[in-house]
Amino acid sequence: MDLRIFTEPQQGASYETLLAVAKATEDLGYDAFFRSDHYLKMGDADGLPGPTDAWTTLAGLARETKRIRLGTLMTSATFRYPGVLAIQVAQVDAMSGGRVEFGFGAGWFEAEHTAYGIPFPDEKFARFEEQLAILTGLWETPVGEVFNFVGKHYSLTDCPALPKPAQSKIPVIIGGQGAKRTPRLTARYADEFNMPFSSMEDSAAQFERVRAAVTAAGRDPNELVYSNALIACVGRDDAEVARRAGAIGREVEELKANGLAGSPAEVVDKLGRYAETAGTSRVYLQILDLDDLDHLALIADQVMSQLG
């Protein structure tokens, strides 16, 4: 099972903090560093020193790391025009030597749009679907040819579809709990399907819906990666678990019920049950205390080392 580090910088993190986490991610042997795409804090966090932009961050990290994959859970479709976003992602992929993975979502947090003057459209999902068609179409258009698209929300005319990513195909990640439209779009566009913060039973049910949609679309469902994002709070003993839970303002029992919390043995066992029950093969560990690099080291040493 792949373990990836997933950060929520809108809760409060500078670029320097994210760089330290990314370098630890690489040094400790994790597969990838991912971050959210939000401009406003949530809950009681102070959010200081203020938001950092997802693709600006990843551009910097692309030049300061060498091995780890870099990506978003999830880039918000409401924040950027699809043509501009295609350029940004392709450029960061080139800057990283082909290490970008593109998690993409329709957008949902209306307050951050209001706060920063970003339009919050009514037809988010329809726009999202058009953006997926445009982004993948631009990246796939051969050099020397042009890309055209006419939709309800976006139109592109004689676009040179440049620059190209370093990778022949940027992996696309789609996620969510929608029962119909989300599996359909996953079947058409995605290389990975992600279930955020869900039980193994709910994950199993959604993974099955996605598999059925992928099969109906004429693809092999085993081509996709099926992943979960889960909060992590691991300690060598009960006191360390409690300290880490307290640092992020959460209760231990709630974290054990809804995430990956407890001793390394408890977490290894729960990851095994996600793999067996849901078919999970990749987990994004949501790390909320980004100053606690010992947490990453502990998980790498005593959890990741035990996973096949």
Side-chain angles (χ1 to χ4, degrees):
M1 180 182 284
D2 294 335
L3 292 186
R4 295 180 159 189
I5 299 301
F6 171 45
T7 62
E8 301 269 12
Q10 76 279 353
Q11 300 302 93
S14 66
Y15 174 75
E16 288 73 19
T17 297
L18 294 172
L19 175 60
V21 174
K23 286 188 171 181
T25 298
E26 183 157 90
D27 293 343
L28 292 167
Y30 290 98
D31 182 58
F33 173 93
F34 271 60
R35 60 156 292 164
S36 60
D37 187 26
H38 287 295
Y39 293 136
L40 200 66
K41 71 180 183 70
M42 303 169 199
D44 295 331
D46 61 23
L48 295 175
T52 50
D53 180 77
W55 287 99
T56 303
T57 298
L58 295 178
L61 298 180
R63 308 302 292 176
E64 299 196 73
T65 59
K66 294 181 173 62
R67 177 188 60 80
I68 50 173
R69 308 290 290 177
L70 300 167
T72 51
L73 287 181
M74 302 284 189
T75 292
S76 175
T78 55
F79 287 173
R80 304 165 182 87
Y81 289 109
V84 175
L85 182 57
I87 292 170
Q88 290 173 315
V89 177
Q91 182 176 359
V92 176
D93 192 54
M95 291 169 70
S96 71
R99 292 184 283 128
V100 159
E101 301 193 10
F102 181 60
F104 197 40
W108 63 271
F109 191 17
E110 186 172 4
E112 66 187 335
H113 295 73
T114 303
Y116 283 94
I118 304 168
F120 190 68
D122 292 330
E123 297 181 346
K124 293 189 298 298
F125 206 90
R127 290 173 181 270
F128 174 57
E129 185 166 1
E130 287 191 15
Q131 289 205 39
L132 276 166
I134 293 166
L135 286 156
T136 55
L138 288 170
W139 293 331
E140 292 168 2
T141 298
V143 174
E145 298 184 13
V146 296
F147 177 81
N148 292 281
F149 182 89
V150 177
K152 179 180 178 181
H153 303 285
Y154 303 99
S155 294
L156 286 74
T157 303
D158 293 336
C159 179
L162 296 172
K164 295 303 179 197
Q167 299 175 86
S168 59
K169 185 181 190 309
I170 289 181
V172 173
I173 307 166
I174 294 176
Q177 302 181 10
K180 295 182 179 179
R181 293 185 299 180
T182 297
R184 175 176 60 81
L185 289 186
T186 299
R188 183 170 182 182
Y189 294 108
D191 303 281
E192 177 177 339
F193 181 77
N194 178 263
M195 270 293 273
F197 312 112
S198 300
S199 70
M200 59 190 75
E201 293 78 15
D202 288 345
S203 298
Q206 183 70 333
F207 288 169
E208 188 57 38
R209 285 189 284 266
V210 170
R211 286 180 172 274
V214 172
T215 300
R219 296 177 62 191
D220 180 356
N222 294 320
E223 292 177 359
L224 271 70
V225 174
Y226 298 86
S227 64
N228 285 88
L230 295 164
I231 189 169
C233 181
V234 188
R236 297 171 180 83
D237 52 36
D238 290 346
E240 192 168 73
V241 175
R243 176 177 63 77
R244 289 200 162 109
I248 59 174
R250 304 282 285 269
E251 298 294 330
V252 172
E253 291 309 312
E254 178 266 322
L255 290 170
K256 286 188 176 185
N258 298 311
L260 298 170
S263 69
E266 288 178 287
V267 171
V268 168
D269 176 71
K270 193 163 188 179
L271 287 169
R273 286 186 283 126
Y274 265 92
E276 182 177 352
T277 301
T280 303
S281 63
R282 175 175 291 159
V283 172
Y284 294 81
L285 303 172
Q286 185 195 42
I287 303 295
L288 295 182
D289 184 355
L290 298 181
D291 294 318
D292 186 3
L293 299 183
D294 181 62
H295 193 195
L296 274 63
L298 173 65
I299 296 171
D301 181 51
Q302 298 192 29
V303 176
M304 187 165 62
S305 63
Q306 297 188 57
L307 301 176

